[in-house]
Amino acid sequence: MNIQGLCAVLTDDREAALIVSEVNRRYFTGFPASDGYLVVTRNDAVFFTDSRYIEAAGLAVKDCRTALLRRLGDEVAGYLKEQGITRVRTERARLTVDELAALKRALPDCRVTACKRLEKAINDLREVKSDAEVKAIVKAQRIAEAALDHVLGNVIKPGVTEREIGLALDYYMLSHGAEALSFETIAVTGKKTSMPHGVPGSLKVKAGDFITMDFGAVWHGYHSDMTRTVAVGKVSREQRKVYETVLAAQTAAREACRPGIAGREMDAAARKVIEDAGYGAYFGHGLGHGVGVEIHELPGAGPRSEAKLRAGNVVTDEPGIYLPGKFGVRIEDMLLVTDGGCRCLTKAPRELIVL
Ligand SMILES: [Mn+2]
């Protein structure tokens, strides 16, 4: 179905789209392979892959034919010639200069161009999720939430290190259905919670500390992303105020999130709450980003995200306040933009948990 969306870029029967990058091949074929080429013409689509993958691809790939690849210059060039193709449009953003040169060398009978229109068409398709894609993201998210429940109930207590918390999240996700981690898990405590992307180390949790965990699972190629900040023992008045401000900012962005508003307007809704509370200088990053076959994809939801949101977009809503040398708070959910507004894909509670 998505492969057909690429045909709109092809102006006549002598043109082909060539998908080379691992992530876009996976998106269009549903099949993970470190190597291969998807060739789409107006009448046909073939996924060329080598002997390591050909049997599995033949069983798994539904939307196009599969063919054995030995050398790009043989099978793919031969196919293009047979189809009367003279022009090949390929990706731009994920192709190195070397790779483009190699494509041109291997396909000397075609005019090969790194095509802006193709790149945009791919992004347009990827940004709007089908029901099946949303289901995969939700499944990944449920695995991550179960991991959070596990560490809240069994792992986080005074004396445990950041690294132990991070590893417990990772082990739980990977042993409960995740095919991979969405990214390297962030688990930081104490003063390190003021570092938005701090690396888990040997620092130990103590009473009165915040613990920020930012993590996600991959399921059937689709990522999830969530952040929760919890406390142990007790919290100060300032900690509570910062937490409540971040929570209110996150809610404001969620309420603003609907089709037709620009990502930057969603960011602005959250940012205003944080600025009004006097913490504007301590929210340095953008509010959110798209999530799908990549952990960070379009559409963006930061101060410079001009693109308007559309129904089917999945974007994160993750404001934070980071007070250097003291502590930080971030809360992150994933929102699905719907016809009338948005639906939060994250089920975990957002209210401050003090363990
Ligand atoms: Mn995120």
Side-chain angles (χ1 to χ4, degrees), residues 276-289:
D276 289 351
Y279 293 110
Y282 305 103
F283 175 26
H285 58 75
L287 175 76
H289 54 87

Side-chain angles (χ1 to χ4, degrees), residues 220-277:
H220 286 201
Y222 285 82
H223 296 69
S224 70
D225 197 0
M226 76 177 299
T227 306
R228 285 294 182 270
T229 300
V230 302
V232 168
K234 57 185 191 310
V235 287
S236 68
R237 190 171 297 184
E238 188 185 25
Q239 278 174 304
R240 189 168 287 280
K241 183 182 173 208
V242 167
Y243 192 96
E244 294 306 328
T245 304
V246 173
L247 185 57
Q250 203 210 19
T251 305
R254 182 190 292 195
E255 284 167 357
C257 180
R258 60 179 178 274
I261 71 154
R264 66 171 165 73
E265 295 176 82
M266 198 176 139
D267 176 282
R271 205 163 293 279
K272 181 170 190 312
V273 173
I274 290 175
E275 282 168 359
D276 289 351

Side-chain angles (χ1 to χ4, degrees), residues 19-85:
I19 305 299
V20 177
S21 70
E22 189 165 346
V23 65
N24 283 333
R25 272 189 284 106
R26 169 143 203 182
Y27 172 73
F28 286 110
T29 65
F31 185 76
S34 63
D35 223 339
Y37 301 92
L38 172 64
V39 184
V40 180
T41 67
R42 294 230 284 204
N43 314 303
D44 197 19
V46 188
F47 176 47
F48 291 90
T49 191
D50 65 55
S51 64
R52 294 169 297 170
Y53 299 109
I54 189 69
E55 184 183 359
L59 295 169
V61 176
K62 299 276 180 277
D63 292 349
C64 66
R65 300 192 288 122
T66 52
L68 181 64
L69 175 77
R70 279 175 288 256
R71 257 168 48 101
L72 177 67
D74 294 335
E75 290 82 10
V76 176
Y79 170 80
L80 293 171
K81 190 168 186 183
E82 185 189 297
Q83 297 285 317
I85 301 297

Side-chain angles (χ1 to χ4, degrees), residues 190-196 281-283 321-328:
K191 287 181 183 176
K192 272 175 70 186
T193 52
S194 71
M195 301 173 190
Y282 305 103
F283 175 26
I321 295 174
Y322 311 94
L323 306 177
K326 291 171 99 175
F327 63 85

